[in-house]
Amino acid sequence: MKTYCGLAFLTVATMGLSNSAVGYLNYPTQVIFKCCKLIPVMIGGMIIQGKRYGMIDVTACLCMTFGLIFFTLADVEVQPNFDTHGVVLISLALVADAVIGNVQEKTMKAHSATNTEVVLYSYSVGFVYILVGLLLSGELLEPIRFCAQYPGHTYGLAAALSVTGFVGINFVLTLVKSFGALLAVTVTTCRKAVTIILSFIFFTKPFTMQYVWSALLVTAGILLSTYSKNQVKMDAWIQHYVVHPLFTRQGRSIGKTEFV
């Protein structure tokens, strides 16, 4: 239960810090920091779980991070602004987010905890934290009045967001349990790039070459990550289908030259 209380605190902290940072940072700056989420998650895995990452993993992480930053910023005309308060707040949110993923992975693997168990205890305790905070700050009555004034919009949207949020967090926890926190964060971070790609299908918008080389960086990162996790099999495949036929052809060419 102590672990779930800690996860709940970190979940509330990352949401609160991220929302507070919005008041200090514009959209491009938030994008830069959110795309950098892979780096603290990787560092957290090394500290919390004792994982070791090779140079290929680090390079893949950096390629995906910078590729996503440039890909997303290609969609924005406003320049980023780095307000000190906002940077501190969103940095703390990223640290909390990195700890959450790694602690979830460690807990689920060590105690065979199910997705439903993690969601139930983490979010129930988190609800208590938020409720106590609202009571102490005296800010509970205002949202209650607002919901009473617009019940159809507020309660209806809250129900829809709760259902979709539950489905989403279950997918994320399945990824965390099956493949680890780093891959789960990679998938959730890349969804922004997928959103932009889909926007080209549904809306008319200008296309620049920044999208192309940014996408190539992300693709390179994904390929490197895949290679790192399947290095033995892929090395054997490359040796059999690429290196061996290449040297065979060269040997034949040399033989024909000598014969002539």
Side-chain angles (χ1 to χ4, degrees):
M1 195 63 190
K2 187 187 294 184
T3 303
Y4 289 128
C5 289
L7 282 173
F9 175 78
L10 290 169
T11 303
V12 173
T14 191
M15 288 190 294
L17 290 166
S18 297
N19 292 335
S20 300
V22 170
Y24 298 96
L25 305 174
N26 61 8
Y27 177 73
T29 315
Q30 295 171 48
V31 165
I32 290 173
F33 279 93
K34 287 179 180 178
C35 289
C36 291
K37 194 185 293 185
L38 289 167
I39 297 171
V41 170
M42 179 176 275
I43 296 170
M46 295 168 67
I47 297 171
I48 296 169
Q49 301 192 70
K51 289 186 175 182
R52 292 291 176 266
Y53 296 101
M55 187 56 66
I56 296 175
D57 293 304
V58 175
T59 306
C61 178
L62 292 175
C63 282
M64 284 187 278
T65 298
F66 287 108
L68 286 167
I69 289 172
F70 295 132
F71 192 90
T72 311
L73 290 183
D75 207 41
V76 180
E77 295 180 356
V78 183
Q79 292 298 313
N81 69 312
F82 294 95
D83 183 271
T84 307
H85 292 89
V87 169
V88 171
L89 289 170
I90 202 164
S91 298
L92 290 172
L94 287 177
V95 171
D97 221 6
V99 175
I100 288 170
N102 284 290
V103 171
Q104 283 175 338
E105 180 185 351
K106 189 174 182 179
T107 303
M108 294 177 82
K109 288 181 177 178
H111 305 289
S112 300
T114 62
N115 295 354
T116 308
E117 180 185 332
V118 175
V119 172
L120 175 64
Y121 286 110
S122 298
Y123 284 83
S124 297
V125 177
F127 168 76
V128 175
Y129 287 157
I130 294 172
L131 181 62
V132 171
L134 289 172
L135 288 171
L136 292 175
S137 63
E139 296 179 354
L140 183 62
L141 292 177
E142 186 178 346
I144 290 175
R145 291 195 196 100
F146 183 82
C147 291
Q149 190 176 357
Y150 305 99
H153 291 84
T154 52
Y155 293 117
L157 287 173
L161 288 171
S162 297
V163 173
T164 53
F166 177 76
V167 173
I169 194 66
N170 264 285
F171 276 116
V172 172
L173 287 174
T174 301
L175 284 171
V176 169
K177 190 173 184 177
S178 303
F179 304 103
L182 185 62
L183 188 136
V185 172
T186 301
V187 172
T188 56
T189 306
C190 285
R191 67 185 174 183
K192 182 62 183 175
V194 175
T195 304
I196 294 173
I197 292 169
L198 290 174
S199 71
F200 283 106
I201 300 172
F202 296 106
F203 305 102
T204 303
K205 56 192 299 186
F207 183 84
T208 65
M209 285 304 296
Q210 186 171 335
Y211 288 114
V212 177
W213 60 263
S214 300
L216 289 173
L217 261 180
V218 175
T219 305
I222 293 170
L223 290 174
L224 283 171
S225 180
T226 305
Y227 173 74
S228 175
K229 291 174 176 59
N230 304 276
Q231 193 166 351
V232 176
K233 290 181 179 179
M234 292 187 73
D235 281 345
W237 187 89
I238 292 169
Q239 182 71 27
H240 187 269
Y241 291 101
V242 180
V243 178
H244 182 68
L246 184 63
F247 277 101
T248 303
R249 289 195 198 98
Q250 287 181 349
R252 287 173 183 170
S253 300
I254 293 168
K256 287 179 182 178
T257 305
E258 289 177 350
F259 178 76
V260 173

